[in-house]
Amino acid sequence: MTQINESILFFYNAESYIVTQNSLVMTPKETNTIKTTNAKNTKTKGKISKTNTKNGKNKEKVKKVEEDKKESPQIIVNEPFITEPMTKDFCLVLDIDETISHTMRLSFGNHFLLRPGVIHLIRKLYHFFEIDIFTAAIKRYADNIVNKLDPNDTYINYRFYRDHCIYEGTKSVKKLVRIGRDIEKIVFVDNIKYNAKYNMENLYHVSSWKDDVYDEEILKLQNVLIDIILEGN
């Protein structure tokens, strides 16, 4: 059974961080509620209220996109992403959202959970695997999580963000050949199969994770990676 106490809860608001370790208290998702001031409102007023709500949500989405652009200026991407030679036997490429963590937006700020076992995984295998992060998220958001996962830059070697993805319509794809590593040495872990469209043979697909403290996907992944190490040697 995966160690439950490896699930770590982090709260963050702007640049201020409050860290609570070994927490099993799951904060419920923030829900949007519409309070009616008059129980006898007509159906027409109800439709207007729904329309205003949708418009408000659309404005929030537009505002969020604009904030993301300000917070995360475009990264200049050269290929391959990495020019230095690999010093480890293998390369482990990890997605973030719903793969190794889950983020929830709340009225008092955002918080994210780390999937059970992920800290143990990188600490145990970094001697054998170059460990890279490859996410479709913006840099600032991703760094908030990775900096808590590896605060001293001991285990994570490289980070790739939204600008490193290629896009097919609205869908992002992570083309592993662009990283600059021997494709046969890469294990790519993601909860979305489409992200590995061009490298399905490298994909280790995991279920999407939110807050299950008994989840054992990372433990299963660890066993597979250990087998790869043993076979490689």
Side-chain angles (χ1 to χ4, degrees):
M1 179 69 71
T2 302
Q3 293 293 324
I4 298 175
N5 62 7
E6 286 191 14
S7 181
I8 297 181
L9 178 65
F10 293 108
F11 290 88
Y12 66 90
N13 190 347
E15 297 303 322
S16 299
Y17 299 89
I18 303 174
V19 181
T20 304
Q21 296 194 17
N22 304 328
S23 173
L24 298 181
V25 179
M26 300 296 133
T27 305
K29 289 184 178 178
E30 182 183 40
T31 56
N32 294 321
T33 59
I34 301 174
K35 295 181 179 180
T36 56
T37 56
N38 188 339
K40 295 182 180 181
N41 282 341
T42 63
K43 291 183 178 180
T44 302
K45 288 184 178 180
K47 291 180 180 179
I48 293 174
S49 177
K50 289 181 179 179
T51 301
N52 290 338
T53 300
K54 289 181 180 179
N55 290 338
K57 288 182 178 180
N58 289 335
K59 288 180 180 179
E60 288 179 3
K61 288 180 180 180
V62 172
K63 183 178 179 181
K64 181 65 173 62
V65 171
E66 292 175 349
E67 288 177 351
D68 285 349
K69 289 180 179 178
K70 291 179 181 178
E71 294 172 354
S72 183
Q74 188 173 6
I75 299 171
I76 298 175
V77 177
N78 296 314
E79 292 188 40
F81 302 158
I82 308 171
T83 56
E84 296 83 0
M86 188 166 73
T87 59
K88 307 292 177 65
D89 295 329
F90 307 97
C91 180
L92 177 63
V93 180
L94 300 172
D95 172 51
I96 293 182
D97 284 327
E98 275 63 69
T99 296
I100 62 171
S101 73
H102 175 66
T103 300
M104 301 167 72
R105 297 182 181 278
L106 303 175
S107 58
F108 54 83
N110 297 335
H111 82 244
F112 63 89
L113 295 161
L114 291 178
R115 194 167 194 159
V118 67
I119 293 179
H120 180 72
L121 176 77
I122 64 172
R123 289 179 178 177
K124 186 170 185 177
L125 298 179
Y126 87 102
H127 292 291
F128 306 96
F129 284 84
E130 173 184 289
I131 302 177
D132 303 332
I133 296 294
F134 200 164
T135 175
I138 62 171
K139 184 179 186 300
R140 184 175 183 272
Y141 166 85
D143 284 346
N144 281 332
I145 297 173
V146 179
N147 289 343
K148 296 303 178 184
L149 177 63
D150 184 18
N152 298 317
D153 289 328
T154 303
Y155 310 106
I156 306 299
N157 296 97
Y158 298 96
R159 308 178 187 189
F160 310 119
Y161 311 96
R162 179 176 297 174
D163 293 301
H164 294 90
C165 299
I166 61 174
Y167 282 84
E168 298 178 347
T170 58
K171 293 184 177 180
S172 62
V173 181
K174 301 166 184 178
K175 208 167 184 178
L176 302 182
V177 70
R178 303 174 73 209
I179 292 178
R181 293 296 184 236
D182 182 349
I183 198 69
E184 294 184 0
K185 299 290 186 179
I186 297 177
V187 179
F188 177 43
V189 184
D190 205 306
N191 67 308
I192 301 175
K193 290 183 178 180
Y194 194 87
N195 285 337
K197 177 181 177 181
Y198 296 103
N199 304 103
M200 293 300 293
E201 66 278 7
N202 299 88
L203 177 66
Y204 182 92
H205 181 253
V206 295
S207 61
S208 296
W209 181 82
K210 290 188 177 180
D211 57 12
D212 179 11
V213 296
Y214 297 101
D215 178 83
E216 294 188 344
E217 286 275 25
I218 299 299
L219 177 60
K220 294 175 184 176
L221 168 63
Q222 177 179 295
N223 293 335
V224 170
L225 297 177
I226 290 174
D227 286 342
I228 290 175
I229 295 170
L230 295 175
E231 290 174 5
N233 294 333

